Amino acid sequence: SEQWIQLMDSECETMELENERQAKLAKQFEVLGVECKTLLTEYYYFNKSLDEISKKMNYTYDFIKVKKFRCMKELKNKMINDK
């Protein structure tokens, strides 16, 4: 019974940390530029390929590939610096 309680406490703690991380991610995502939000949403949420996104956004594939990298880097930096 004690092990079960410890397991449940640990599980709840993990869920709380994940919820905090998700909230932080949503907050930082909102302050990204429109193009970054569009690109990352299309890629990660709608599972669009970079080729599909480049055509939809009227940019070259190479530009979108670099832009995605820069957007992710910006988002990661915002997450790291959000205390």
Side-chain angles (χ1 to χ4, degrees), residues 2-14 16:
E2 182 64 32
Q3 286 179 325
W4 176 251
I5 292 170
Q6 287 176 344
L7 180 64
M8 291 306 294
D9 285 347
S10 175
E11 193 68 26
C12 286
E13 196 173 300
T14 300
E16 285 174 17

Side-chain angles (χ1 to χ4, degrees), residues 40-71:
L40 295 177
T41 299
E42 291 289 323
Y43 188 79
Y44 289 105
Y45 188 77
F46 293 112
N47 296 312
K48 300 286 184 188
S49 69
L50 292 178
D51 190 50
E52 290 174 294
I53 297 167
S54 68
K55 289 174 180 156
K56 183 175 183 176
M57 294 180 74
N58 294 314
Y59 288 116
T60 64
Y61 172 86
D62 289 334
F63 178 86
I64 289 297
K65 186 176 175 183
V66 171
K67 181 77 171 170
K68 179 187 157 287
F69 173 80
R70 289 181 179 155
C71 290

Side-chain angles (χ1 to χ4, degrees), residues 18-29:
E18 181 60 22
N19 289 343
E20 286 175 23
R21 194 181 72 79
Q22 290 291 330
K24 184 190 271 193
L25 178 61
K27 176 183 150 192
Q28 295 306 331
F29 182 81

